[in-house]
Amino acid sequence: MAPKGQVLKLQLHLSDFENNHYQTHRLTLVQHPSETDRRLMFRVAVYALWAFEEPQFTKGLCVAEEPELWTLDLQGQVSHWIELGQPEPKRLGQACGKSKAVTVYSYQANAAAWYETQADKLRRYDKLAVYGIGEAEGGPLEKLLNEGTEFTAQIQDGSLWLSCGDAQVTLSVPCLKERG
């Protein structure tokens, strides 16, 4: 029998000055047994960046055909496909065929180098935007999980500030490829 994921219930108090979105979101995430706390917290961070679109967490790691997050239109079609990591160009091409917009967030230290090696293949996808998430100022992002389940997030000037309890981190989110 395969190990089950851990269910986490979080509150995210969000002030997104860039999209004029101020709301508390109650999030339920399932942490796959192979998923690190760091990756889980990047999922929360990316959710915060797109919360104004009301994205949904998917089965992600458990289902290869789904991204980590997506936004569905009223007919249930994928309007925004959001990936984490450094997916293969073929996967991103397939995602562009299924969605109106695709966004990738590479949270690895070599995000810019990865994009440069894939740039020729990825430039042809007009629906695709690629971002790197810089190293967290204030310590590792996963330390926030040790502080509790109630998070505060602020988005302004291309940066994301996250806090929980006494821990706080700031992430830069540089754009590596714009849509269109």
Side-chain angles (χ1 to χ4, degrees):
M1 177 182 239
K4 293 186 178 190
Q6 177 183 355
V7 176
L8 299 166
K9 294 186 181 279
L10 310 174
Q11 274 196 346
L12 179 66
H13 305 285
L14 178 63
S15 297
D16 181 349
F17 294 100
E18 293 184 359
N19 296 294
N20 208 20
H21 180 81
Y22 311 94
Q23 189 172 340
T24 296
H25 297 269
R26 286 174 174 69
L27 308 177
T28 301
L29 295 95
V30 177
Q31 185 176 17
H32 189 274
S34 68
E35 184 176 32
T36 65
D37 288 349
R38 180 173 188 262
R39 187 175 188 288
L40 176 92
M41 285 307 300
F42 275 110
R43 283 200 293 148
V44 172
V46 170
Y47 178 92
L49 292 169
W50 290 98
F52 67 96
E53 281 191 1
E54 298 183 24
Q56 300 171 5
F57 290 104
T58 67
K59 294 180 182 172
L61 289 175
C62 297
V63 178
E65 297 81 29
E66 295 182 0
E68 281 70 27
L69 295 123
W70 60 21
T71 303
L72 303 175
D73 64 18
L74 294 174
Q75 288 77 38
Q77 300 298 312
V78 179
S79 58
H80 193 175
W81 180 287
I82 304 170
E83 289 273 354
L84 283 178
Q86 298 176 346
E88 294 294 322
K90 180 180 178 183
R91 177 176 172 83
L92 295 174
Q94 291 168 342
C96 287
K98 297 176 183 176
S99 179
K100 296 174 188 164
V102 176
T103 305
V104 174
Y105 286 91
S106 178
Y107 60 91
Q108 289 85 347
N110 62 346
W114 165 78
Y115 176 73
E116 285 306 314
T117 64
Q118 304 298 321
D120 290 337
K121 296 174 186 169
L122 298 179
R123 279 191 195 106
R124 64 183 164 170
Y125 301 127
D126 290 340
K127 296 178 181 180
L128 176 66
V130 179
Y131 293 86
I133 298 182
E135 287 298 311
E137 295 175 27
L141 187 59
E142 59 271 23
K143 78 177 183 178
L144 297 176
L145 272 178
N146 298 330
E147 295 291 319
T149 59
E150 193 164 342
F151 297 86
T152 301
Q154 180 176 322
I155 301 168
Q156 188 171 15
D157 300 327
S159 292
L160 170 62
W161 175 82
L162 274 168
S163 70
C164 184
D166 292 332
Q168 53 188 324
V169 298
T170 303
L171 299 168
S172 61
V173 188
C175 182
L176 303 173
K177 180 196 179 298
E178 292 186 14
R179 225 177 308 289

